[in-house]
């Protein structure tokens, strides 16, 4: 599960931050706080998430899908960082307060760009009807999983990768942390996969983070 701290959530929602799963600091950032996520409203259908965005300006939400339909894997349009992307990425990170200070200042390790895009296809059951959705996975842990299975299995990486995302995680109390891109508020991304050992609070009247 992705490690999330308040600063990390703020960073995810900053303007122009569309590559949040492609980089990391030298050390893990923050600490996952269940109480923080418990304050977010928990939805059972994405249409309700989008309605909350339109009606109340919600930009971060938890969603518990009814089932995972599958994982789409597509080659990235640009599998290699351009010089402009590298410059923008480093500038955004250096200007943020997300990373720890180390001996030589804020050290940032630029990881290789993922050669694939990953999308979850999932379904939500509402009042006897089933609605299908698809969202892009930008969870840093998904990228880390790809690199791990690629290193361990070489060209045969896809089978264990799919086993984790299509079988193991859906067998748990899987929830999505969805967030929008500031410049494109109608575009939702799946920024983290959550599978808590115990159900998080589901009171929709709890105070949110926004």
């Amino acid at each position: 599960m992705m490690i999330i701290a308040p600063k990390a959530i703020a960073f995810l929602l900053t303007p122009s931050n569309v590559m949040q799963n492609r980089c990391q600091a030298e050390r893990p950032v923050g600490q996952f706080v269940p109480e923080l996520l418990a304050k977010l409203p928990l939805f059972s259908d994405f249409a309700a998430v989008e309605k909350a965005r339109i009606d109340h300006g919600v930009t971060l939400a938890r969603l518990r899908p009814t089932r995972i339909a599958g994982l789409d894997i597509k080659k990235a349009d640009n599998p290699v960082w351009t010089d402009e992307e590298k410059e923008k990425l480093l500038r955004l990170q250096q200007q943020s307060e997300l990373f720890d200070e180390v001996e030589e200042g804020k050290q940032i390790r630029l990881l290789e760009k993922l050669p694939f895009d990953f999308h979850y296809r999932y379904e939500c059951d509402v009042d006897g009807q089933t609605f299908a959705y698809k969202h892009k996975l930008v969870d840093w842990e998904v990228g880390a999983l790809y690199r791990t299975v690629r290193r361990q299995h070489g060209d045969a990486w896809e089978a264990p990768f799919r086993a984790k995302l299509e079988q193991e995680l859906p067998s748990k109390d899987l929830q999505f942390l969805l967030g929008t891109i500031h410049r494109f508020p109608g575009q939702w991304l799946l920024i983290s996969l959550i599978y808590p050992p115990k159900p998080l609070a589901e009171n929709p009247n709890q105070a949110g983070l926004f």
Side-chain angles (χ1 to χ4, degrees):
M1 176 169 54
M2 184 179 182
I3 299 173
I4 301 175
K7 286 185 179 180
I9 290 178
F11 177 71
L12 287 168
L13 302 179
T14 53
S16 303
N17 183 31
V18 297
M19 299 177 287
Q20 54 268 67
N21 68 319
R22 303 297 167 86
C23 59
Q24 71 174 83
E26 288 293 339
R27 289 174 286 180
V29 179
Q31 183 178 11
F32 173 65
V33 183
E35 293 80 7
L36 187 66
L37 288 178
K39 293 180 180 180
L40 292 174
L42 178 63
F43 297 87
S44 58
D45 180 41
F46 174 71
V49 175
E50 176 63 4
K51 187 175 188 301
R53 180 190 70 82
I54 295 173
D55 293 347
H56 305 292
V58 170
T59 58
L60 195 66
R62 287 186 294 140
L63 171 69
R64 179 184 284 132
T66 304
R67 68 189 62 84
I68 300 298
L71 176 72
D72 290 345
I73 301 175
K74 177 186 176 183
K75 284 189 175 181
D77 293 334
N78 299 302
V80 179
W81 292 119
T82 65
D83 291 340
E84 182 180 358
E85 287 175 326
K86 289 180 182 179
E87 181 181 357
K88 179 186 296 185
L89 189 63
L90 291 173
R91 184 173 64 250
L92 284 171
Q93 294 171 23
Q94 289 168 343
Q95 290 174 351
S96 77
E97 298 178 355
L98 183 63
F99 301 99
D100 293 331
E101 293 278 357
V102 293
E103 293 181 1
E104 297 181 0
K106 294 181 179 179
Q107 299 297 318
I108 298 171
R109 179 177 60 185
L110 186 64
L111 300 177
E112 64 174 321
K113 190 173 183 180
L114 295 179
F116 297 96
D117 291 330
F118 307 111
H119 291 79
Y120 248 156
R121 286 181 288 106
Y122 63 96
E123 297 175 345
C124 299
D125 291 343
V126 181
D127 298 329
Q129 298 186 64
T130 298
F131 299 91
Y133 305 100
K134 182 170 77 170
H135 282 98
K136 185 176 182 178
L137 275 162
V138 296
D139 187 342
W140 182 89
E141 290 293 339
V142 173
L145 173 64
Y146 164 77
R147 293 184 177 91
T148 297
V149 296
R150 179 76 184 188
R151 183 176 62 254
Q152 295 176 344
H153 302 278
D155 292 340
W157 65 270
E158 187 171 338
F161 186 80
R162 286 187 177 278
K164 182 75 172 182
L165 293 174
E166 292 184 322
Q167 299 172 31
E168 181 179 338
L169 295 190
S171 70
K172 303 177 184 293
D173 180 29
L174 181 62
Q175 300 174 24
F176 298 161
L177 180 63
L178 294 167
T180 64
I181 297 176
H182 183 82
R183 291 177 59 190
F184 307 99
Q187 182 177 343
W188 288 88
L189 296 174
L190 206 169
I191 60 179
S192 185
L193 300 177
I194 308 167
Y195 33 102
K198 296 181 180 180
L200 295 170
E202 300 181 19
N203 182 0
N205 296 319
Q206 288 184 341
L209 300 180
F210 26 76

